[in-house]
Amino acid sequence: MTKQRECILRVVRENEGHYTAEEIFELAKKEYPGIAVATVYNNLNALVEARIIKRISRVGKPDVYDKSIRPHEHMICTVCARIFDLDLPTVREERN
């Protein structure tokens, strides 16, 4: 894992919330001022493919990235548009 990829992963894992690639780029630039936006996109794609982080696609909006790959739902605030993790019991769990 390159130092830039480690930085990008750290940004995703250490910040609360779900960030777009552009937001991750802005945060990563603080540690690596010369980092390119393409590097951020390429590394985010690699981290998603490796199942280290999760991509959340939204209709009409940029994708965001989630540090948690465990199964869970998301709630989107209709006022501020923030995305929150939401743990809902599954039907199987409710039957037990």
Side-chain angles (χ1 to χ4, degrees):
M1 185 175 290
T2 66
K3 290 183 181 185
Q4 290 175 328
R5 186 171 295 175
E6 286 176 356
C7 172
I8 292 162
L9 181 57
R10 196 169 34 257
V11 166
V12 173
R13 285 187 171 161
E14 292 179 359
N15 289 287
E16 291 302 315
H18 303 79
Y19 292 94
T20 65
E22 292 291 331
E23 292 167 326
I24 293 167
F25 168 66
E26 291 300 324
L27 291 166
K29 273 195 335 186
K30 293 176 182 176
E31 186 173 337
Y32 284 95
I35 196 168
V37 70
T39 300
V40 173
Y41 276 98
N42 291 336
N43 280 285
L44 286 170
N45 287 333
L47 291 166
V48 168
E49 287 178 21
R51 296 186 177 165
I52 296 171
I53 63 173
K54 188 180 206 176
R55 178 184 293 118
I56 302 169
S57 297
R58 304 179 298 167
V59 177
K61 296 189 182 236
D63 293 347
V64 293
Y65 295 86
D66 192 343
K67 63 184 169 186
S68 176
I69 60 168
R70 66 175 169 68
H72 64 281
E73 300 299 325
H74 294 97
M75 179 177 69
I76 302 172
C77 177
T78 58
V79 175
C80 68
R82 282 192 56 204
I83 300 172
F84 300 91
D85 289 342
L86 187 62
D87 291 311
L88 296 174
T90 65
V91 174
R92 176 179 284 168
E93 289 171 345
E94 288 180 5
R95 288 183 184 169
N96 291 334

